[in-house]
Amino acid sequence: MNPKEPNTSHNNMVTMMRPILLILLLSSLLPPILTVDPPLPSSNGSDFIRMACNTTLYPDLCFSTLSSFANSIQNDSNRLARVAISLTLHNTLHLLSYLQNAYNRDHPTPVLKDCFENLKDAVDDMRGSMKQMKELVSASGSVESFRFQMSNVKTWLSAALTNEYTCTDGFKDVHEDDSIKDDVCSRVDVVKKLTSNALALVNRYADESTIH
């Protein structure tokens, strides 16, 4: 009697199924984060910034300058206010450097010299507000201390805005070189708007924190 021939089709199927079974087994053992599709990017940060910017005087400028920080801001009003101050400070420093390089010749006009000093004071004010924001106590810990510190932040930013307006006000009676006047005032106007927005976002954060 001849020995029974092996069932080659069955053996071939078993051989083909082994890699599939192995993959399924390994998949069941992997951590869930490795076996699911990655989540789609959330728009919550951008939506939050858009909503917050709607409380400012210049919402479009607010959103266009802050939306790129959505991932780091998320839904954090404190972080949003700090980023707004930091961004305003950076732009003011850049403006001051530009104006000094462009117009601070051997003998700059008195109005330009005054403007430079005003912007330097505005920079100091913004740094003061930023320092106070970093040292904030939680409103849940001491409401009075929080309000006092937030009052300081607002005072610093208001002083910065006043210095910026003082710079442009100095050009009102200047007529001999309108090109310089227009260039300086248009650039400082942008910084004034950024400062105004930062102050509005600070006010929003302060109100939100004391209510909750």
Side-chain angles (χ1 to χ4, degrees), residues 87-105 108 110-127 160 163-164 167-168 171 183-192 194-195:
L87 182 72
T88 306
L89 174 59
H90 172 79
N91 277 272
T92 308
L93 286 169
H94 180 76
L95 171 63
L96 185 57
S97 176
Y98 165 79
L99 294 179
Q100 288 178 321
N101 289 331
Y103 303 120
N104 194 15
R105 304 184 181 97
V111 68
L112 277 172
K113 290 180 66 176
D114 289 344
C115 181
F116 296 152
E117 292 305 314
N118 295 145
L119 292 178
K120 288 177 183 177
D121 290 341
V123 165
D124 290 340
D125 295 332
M126 289 177 206
R127 285 176 171 155
N163 278 306
E164 292 155 8
C167 166
T168 54
F171 285 90
D183 183 44
V184 173
C185 289
S186 64
R187 292 175 185 272
V188 177
D189 280 345
V190 174
V191 168
K192 288 194 291 190
L194 291 174
T195 307

Side-chain angles (χ1 to χ4, degrees), residues 66-85:
L66 295 173
S67 58
S68 59
F69 302 95
N71 286 339
S72 61
I73 292 172
Q74 293 297 316
N75 295 333
D76 191 326
S77 296
N78 175 286
R79 196 171 298 169
L80 176 62
R82 283 188 288 137
V83 169
I85 297 171

Side-chain angles (χ1 to χ4, degrees), residues 10-19:
H10 178 267
N11 290 340
N12 289 339
M13 181 172 291
V14 170
T15 303
M16 292 173 61
M17 290 294 294
R18 280 176 181 166

